[in-house]
Amino acid sequence: MRPHIVQVMAANQGRPLSTEEIYRLVASSGMVADFDPQAKRDRNLVNRELSDLAGCTTQGHSKPSPRLITRVSRGRYLYREPDRPMDVALLQEYLEPTEVYEKRPARRRAESDRRNVPEEVRMGLYAVQRGVCPGCGFHQPHHRRFDVDHIVALSDDGVDEVHNLQLLCTYCNRAKATKGPERFRMKMAELRVHNMAESMMVDERLAELTGRRLAQYHRETSGLVA
């Protein structure tokens, strides 16, 4: 849903849009299957994405969101040009042609879902990393603003244990998961090289230092260091 909303907003750059206009534009675009601008469920889907894109989400546990629109008044939003490297990268992804969005029923998450990582584990990783992403050196003020990443993916025989977890910013988590037409997972060293090449590296020194802290922490939690 989010890429389609961004595309609608970008097509009306410079003009504040009311939520009613956005509902109608999303419906007329045909990009969202069976979207009903009068249906409460569909309107709520759009409202949630608009609030997140504008950084107006009040829930303290929400993940960091790209700042691609601005709420100019109650129920009125304006597209804005991104000014953070992560937002520029996400905007490029959102503006690419996307498949029609089909609404699906909520799925029941598995117990090993990374979103269900215990709070104390997140806080421990955040303390070790000192709020810094080991992929690009980007700092976040709260541990819930990071994505939890399996260093070795579960599909690659990685384990769902503390010594295989780290916190990555949204951009680095996306970049690490897939790369190029082969869509293979990158290791952390490759991720940092990728970020440098794509001008997404915020602070190489901090990223490498955080990586070393994590490696030491993982050795300790896995019992390799007394």
Side-chain angles (χ1 to χ4, degrees):
M1 175 73 80
R2 180 174 296 188
H4 303 307
I5 294 174
V6 172
Q7 290 177 24
V8 164
M9 297 296 296
N12 291 272
Q13 185 173 358
R15 184 169 71 89
L17 297 177
S18 68
T19 51
E20 293 294 337
E21 290 178 291
I22 296 171
Y23 302 148
R24 291 196 297 270
L25 288 170
V26 170
S28 62
S29 70
M31 295 184 294
V32 181
D34 301 322
F35 182 87
D36 182 357
Q38 301 302 320
K40 183 177 180 180
R41 176 174 179 267
D42 292 351
R43 293 162 72 99
N44 285 342
L45 283 172
V46 173
N47 291 341
R48 184 165 60 246
E49 296 291 7
L50 286 172
S51 181
D52 215 22
L53 285 165
C56 299
T57 304
T58 57
Q59 295 175 326
H61 63 268
S62 62
K63 294 192 293 185
S65 302
R67 300 171 185 171
L68 298 179
I69 66 174
T70 300
R71 187 168 70 177
V72 295
S73 62
R74 185 176 180 85
R76 292 178 65 82
Y77 295 87
L78 177 68
Y79 173 82
R80 56 171 288 180
E81 286 292 335
D83 52 12
R84 299 185 305 176
M86 179 179 14
D87 296 343
V88 173
L90 289 175
L91 177 62
Q92 292 172 351
E93 177 182 324
Y94 289 158
L95 294 184
E96 291 178 356
T98 55
E99 297 178 355
V100 172
Y101 174 86
E102 295 183 2
K103 301 187 293 295
R104 298 180 177 88
R107 67 180 180 88
R108 184 176 181 180
R109 293 170 178 161
E111 292 182 1
S112 62
D113 195 314
R114 68 190 64 190
R115 297 176 180 83
N116 292 334
V117 174
E119 191 78 1
E120 59 270 19
V121 173
R122 283 179 174 268
M123 294 175 66
L125 289 170
Y126 184 84
V128 170
Q129 298 180 203
R130 301 185 184 179
V132 174
C133 173
C136 66
F138 184 74
H139 181 270
Q140 288 280 15
H142 194 275
H143 64 88
R144 276 286 178 178
R145 293 194 172 187
F146 281 103
D147 291 346
V148 178
D149 171 65
H150 287 91
I151 299 173
V152 179
L154 297 178
S155 57
D156 292 336
D157 298 324
V159 294
D160 198 18
E161 302 290 343
V162 175
H163 60 266
N164 190 41
L165 299 178
Q166 62 184 348
L167 302 180
L168 292 180
C169 70
T170 300
Y171 172 79
C172 285
N173 194 30
R174 289 169 180 261
K176 178 176 177 287
T178 57
K179 176 188 175 185
E182 298 86 4
R183 301 183 72 80
F184 62 88
R185 296 174 180 84
M186 286 189 282
K187 296 180 180 179
M188 289 305 297
E190 294 171 332
L191 175 62
R192 284 193 279 267
V193 171
H194 166 80
N195 286 343
M196 287 288 291
E198 296 294 323
S199 300
M200 296 300 172
M201 177 62 72
V202 177
D203 191 320
E204 184 179 9
R205 182 187 63 83
L206 272 179
E208 292 180 353
L209 181 60
T210 302
R212 290 197 294 271
R213 289 197 187 103
L214 270 170
Q216 174 68 19
Y217 176 69
H218 290 151
R219 285 194 294 270
E220 293 174 353
T221 55
S222 61
L224 298 181
V225 176

